[in-house]
Amino acid sequence: MGKLIEIRWHGRAGQGVVTAGELLAEAAMQEGKYFQAFPDYGPERMGAPIKSYTRISDEPIEVHHQILHPDVIVVVNPNLIGMVDLTEGLKEDGIAIVNTPDSPEEVRKKLGLKGGKVATLDATRIAMDTLGRDIPSTLMLGAVAKVTGLVSLDSVLHCTKERLGEKLRAEVVEANLTALKRAYEEVKEG
């Protein structure tokens, strides 16, 4: 990696966007990398659009502010497309990872992206199939791991198991790990 990678997460309050960013940072820490993970809170209410940020680097991170020019955007709630400028500041060679059943080509058109990479994952469907609930945020970690290579799937699985194991039954934790593995395998890049 060598350089600082900045990721901006987009979702709705209550969807676990902040937790997903923190889990990515914990996976990076497990691999000996430096990290930051923090939310962008304001007067949000449940269901309001929110942002969360994650920075990962092989070297200490000196900056401490919102991410204005991300290398990667992760869109957890696809109904934000057209409502919020999701690609604002995205670097020309940036990566957009979107929770949607649409193809990367369709999402590229919707977002108006000319360069970079677009990846899609129907995390909502996987969550419903595997967990019985529409909680796609954590599953997007599988897509981030696969598309960016910033962290390994094993690190994401380990951190997720530790975090969820503190508050959920073993079978629920295992269902989440199964869903994460599916997300890693089913993400489509274009």
Side-chain angles (χ1 to χ4, degrees):
M1 180 174 67
K3 66 175 191 164
L4 175 67
I5 302 297
E6 297 183 310
I7 301 165
R8 187 173 65 213
W9 299 76
H10 292 272
R12 291 194 177 273
Q15 285 191 307
V17 174
V18 173
T19 299
E22 290 172 349
L23 283 169
L24 179 60
E26 289 171 20
M29 179 179 67
Q30 182 177 326
E31 294 184 6
K33 297 174 183 169
Y34 294 89
F35 67 91
Q36 288 178 354
F38 55 99
D40 185 357
Y41 285 125
E44 283 84 9
R45 65 195 182 292
M46 188 67 104
I50 65 162
K51 295 180 220 172
S52 182
Y53 307 102
T54 308
R55 288 188 175 100
I56 298 174
S57 179
D58 290 328
E59 300 172 5
I61 300 170
E62 305 286 328
V63 296
H64 300 283
H65 55 75
Q66 294 175 333
I67 294 173
L68 303 176
H69 301 286
D71 298 283
V72 180
I73 59 166
V74 181
V75 181
V76 176
N77 193 316
N79 72 11
L80 293 174
I81 295 173
M83 285 184 57
V84 175
D85 186 1
L86 301 169
T87 62
E88 178 183 18
L90 181 64
K91 292 180 179 167
E92 198 170 295
D93 62 345
I95 301 170
I97 304 171
V98 182
N99 170 23
T100 180
D102 294 342
S103 72
E105 296 76 22
E106 291 170 306
V107 171
R108 179 180 295 281
K109 287 178 189 170
K110 287 179 182 179
L111 293 176
L113 291 176
K114 302 209 183 335
K117 184 189 294 187
V118 176
T120 60
L121 171 70
D122 194 350
T124 296
R125 180 184 47 81
I126 294 171
M128 293 303 293
D129 290 352
T130 312
L131 308 171
R133 295 180 57 204
D134 183 9
I135 47 175
S137 291
T138 306
L139 304 186
M140 295 301 287
L141 289 169
V144 171
K146 176 93 176 243
V147 174
T148 67
L150 287 171
V151 294
S152 70
L153 177 61
D154 287 341
S155 293
V156 169
L157 291 169
H158 175 78
C159 291
T160 302
K161 185 174 184 176
E162 278 190 353
R163 173 80 69 99
L164 297 181
E166 296 172 359
K167 45 189 164 184
L168 299 174
R169 297 185 324 271
E171 62 271 12
V172 176
V173 173
E174 285 306 314
N176 273 274
L177 299 179
T178 297
L180 256 170
K181 291 175 195 172
R182 274 189 63 189
Y184 184 86
E185 294 301 324
E186 293 182 25
V187 65
K188 298 175 200 146
E189 298 181 53

